[in-house]
Amino acid sequence: MADFDLRRVDLPTGVSLDVAVEGDPANPPVILLHGFPESHRTWRYLIPELARDHFVLAPDQRGYARSSKPEGKAKYAPHEILADLIALADHFDIGKFTLFGHDWGGAIAWMAAILRPDRVARLVILNAPHPTLFQRSVIEDPAQRAASQYMRALRDPGFEKNFTVKGAEKFLDVTFANHVEGGIDPRERAFYLDQWSQPGALTAMLNWYRASNIEVPPVDAKIDKPTFPIPDLPPVAMPTLVIWGMKDPALLPCQLDGLADHVRDLTIVRVPDAGHFIPWEKPDAVIAALRPWLAAQTHLASG
């Protein structure tokens, strides 16, 4: 498992991010967005692989590890984090890029693909639902609604107060380790505990949930639509690869149903023995899905 030298990047959005920067800047750029409760290390197996022929940026997003942690949940609204992404690309003089996203990083990646198609050339999603499908599923699909109840718990203002007393190790065991296929390597566990122990880190990470407008009703609530209209989002225009660990206990395979209606050029690869944290649970499967797709896209672009 590689260690990466992190570069501190000050952005005009008012935050400073630690960024793993690997590969030759002359090569095609890729940006990798991690989710909760991780960091650039989500991509620890993919970064060296991609850096062989790409210029790779993998930031610790705002609120995580030693990147800036602005106060208040409003600072973690999706449009704020999308602005960080575009500012990061601008900092490195990158126009269009291939964008990877997992979990909450995937939510931002979907948003970027929909709202900034002028910047996103290709999209790679790993276990992160399209926003329209996810909102509908937590209303209409009983199993997905039940699986998403953790979001209600993490949004509770008292959540981190309880876990501050119990410690970061308890937080790791309850919210993270129990959902990882194959467990967590002790060395990685030390990375997470260090990152989560940074001042303000736990509240900042949880603010990603609190700032989102995704509505998750209680399991037994009588509701047939969210209390706000689901926006009519334009279809994703660029080539999109979705790699899905089918044993994900939080984001069920129903998230793939109807996805082709929202993505014009869609490839789905299902990995039956992978869970939610597929970028490092099953990196070989991810690379096996990714390499031929990237090669085909490069061929089409050059042709």
Side-chain angles (χ1 to χ4, degrees), residues 29-199:
V30 299
I31 301 179
L32 314 177
L33 301 181
H34 69 84
F36 178 91
E38 298 196 82
S39 67
H40 70 279
R41 294 199 64 77
T42 297
W43 311 105
R44 55 191 175 271
Y45 297 109
L46 268 67
I47 290 172
E49 168 67 21
L50 287 168
R52 293 193 295 111
D53 49 11
H54 289 81
F55 180 52
V56 181
L57 303 178
D60 291 338
Q61 300 203 75
R62 67 165 67 193
Y64 288 88
R66 287 174 172 76
S67 290
S68 294
K69 299 169 183 63
E71 292 188 7
K73 72 177 184 180
K75 292 295 186 180
Y76 298 87
H79 69 272
E80 298 274 2
I81 302 163
L82 175 58
D84 290 346
L85 168 65
I86 300 303
L88 180 64
D90 290 344
H91 177 86
F92 286 92
D93 295 320
I94 293 170
K96 300 191 78 168
F97 49 87
T98 298
L99 181 59
F100 285 59
H102 172 253
D103 188 76
W104 273 114
I108 301 305
W110 281 118
M111 185 177 179
I114 293 166
L115 299 181
R116 295 304 307 266
D118 57 315
R119 302 301 295 271
V120 181
R122 294 177 293 190
L123 182 66
V124 180
I125 296 290
L126 299 96
N127 283 69
H130 186 280
T132 299
L133 293 178
F134 184 60
Q135 181 60 90
R136 287 179 179 163
S137 69
V138 295
I139 300 296
E140 300 173 358
D141 188 302
Q144 182 60 69
R145 187 190 293 194
S148 299
Q149 291 303 299
Y150 72 94
M151 293 181 65
R152 294 174 57 82
L154 295 180
R155 286 170 167 171
D156 186 327
F159 184 90
E160 62 265 47
K161 294 177 183 177
N162 294 331
F163 279 90
T164 298
V165 174
K166 296 177 182 177
E169 290 199 27
K170 183 70 172 180
F171 177 68
L172 186 149
D173 290 336
V174 171
T175 68
F176 192 17
N178 288 346
H179 302 290
V180 175
E181 291 289 321
I184 298 175
D185 181 273
R187 184 168 175 269
E188 290 303 315
R189 184 183 180 93
F191 272 111
Y192 292 123
L193 291 174
D194 172 70
Q195 292 168 355
W196 298 351
S197 298
Q198 298 307 307

